[in-house]
Amino acid sequence: MSEKAIFRMVMAVSVVVFVAVVILNKKILPVPAVIPHFVYHLPKFHAFLNGTCSLILISSFLAIKNKRVTLHRRLNIAAFFISSLFLVSYITYHWLAPETSFPTNNPFRPFYLFILITHIVLAGVVLPLILLSFYQGLKNNIVKHRKLVRWTFPIWLYVTITGVVVYLMICPWYNFPA
């Protein structure tokens, strides 16, 4: 497959994911009358996945700095699969769960909104970067991989860390059934 075809495929996947998230956040699709109980545990699971991915990304960075290429590759594959699991779970949660809002009278709301907005925007930006970096790494095209990862790594790390921060800030206001 040509580089151009891979790029088009990555962009198509990224657009489909973005559109799916927008549709699910707008609650356009029908929601079942009874929401499965596991859905209410997903935000904590998402924070766990994001925290785990953060640690794996840092470990991967340290591995490559120490020229442990095989470990670096395995850690990146793990981070990729954890992030993929997160994405499927996130889409499931936002389809089924009711919206939770940060209180408007809370003095930390501007900080929360800043973290949330940068998290969301950069999550959308980093998906195609992750896919392209992953592809170039698997192809062993080190020059292109390094150029991409210069941007991918810090953005992906920021997104995973702020995913945990957003959860910690919003979790007191979840109103889930017991």
Side-chain angles (χ1 to χ4, degrees):
M1 205 181 268
S2 73
E3 293 285 319
K4 193 181 256 186
I6 294 296
F7 182 79
R8 286 182 182 151
M9 189 167 34
V10 163
M11 290 302 131
V13 167
S14 300
V15 167
V16 166
V17 168
F18 175 78
V19 168
V21 169
V22 168
I23 288 172
L24 294 171
N25 280 334
K26 298 287 184 195
K27 302 296 183 190
I28 295 170
L29 297 177
V31 177
V34 177
I35 298 171
H37 192 68
F38 79 89
V39 169
Y40 301 112
H41 299 285
L42 291 179
K44 190 179 292 184
F45 181 58
H46 298 156
F48 171 77
L49 291 175
N50 272 316
T52 302
C53 195
S54 297
L55 295 174
I56 291 172
L57 289 171
I58 292 167
S59 299
S60 173
F61 176 77
L62 294 172
I64 202 61
K65 287 293 176 194
N66 290 309
K67 305 203 183 326
R68 299 184 65 193
V69 176
T70 302
L71 178 60
H72 171 75
R73 182 180 289 247
R74 288 179 180 160
L75 289 168
N76 282 332
I77 290 170
F80 182 84
F81 281 107
I82 288 171
S83 287
S84 299
L85 176 61
F86 166 83
L87 188 56
V88 170
S89 181
Y90 176 88
I91 287 172
T92 301
Y93 174 77
H94 282 280
W95 170 41
L96 298 172
E99 181 93 20
T100 300
S101 297
F102 199 86
T104 56
N105 61 346
N106 189 300
F108 290 104
R109 184 176 169 85
F111 177 69
Y112 169 78
L113 290 175
F114 174 80
I115 297 294
L116 178 63
I117 290 166
T118 58
H119 170 81
I120 291 169
V121 168
L122 290 174
V125 167
V126 81
L127 178 59
L129 291 173
I130 291 168
L131 295 173
L132 291 169
S133 298
F134 195 72
Y135 172 74
Q136 295 299 341
L138 289 177
K139 263 187 58 179
N140 215 21
N141 188 339
I142 305 306
V143 173
K144 285 185 179 180
H145 179 72
R146 279 186 185 158
K147 284 181 182 178
L148 285 164
V149 171
R150 190 170 297 142
W151 294 97
T152 308
F153 172 71
I155 297 171
W156 194 3
L157 186 60
Y158 178 85
V159 167
T160 60
I161 290 171
T162 56
V164 176
V165 171
V166 165
Y167 168 76
L168 292 172
M169 291 184 79
I170 194 76
C171 72
W173 289 278
Y174 283 127
N175 189 19
F176 296 149

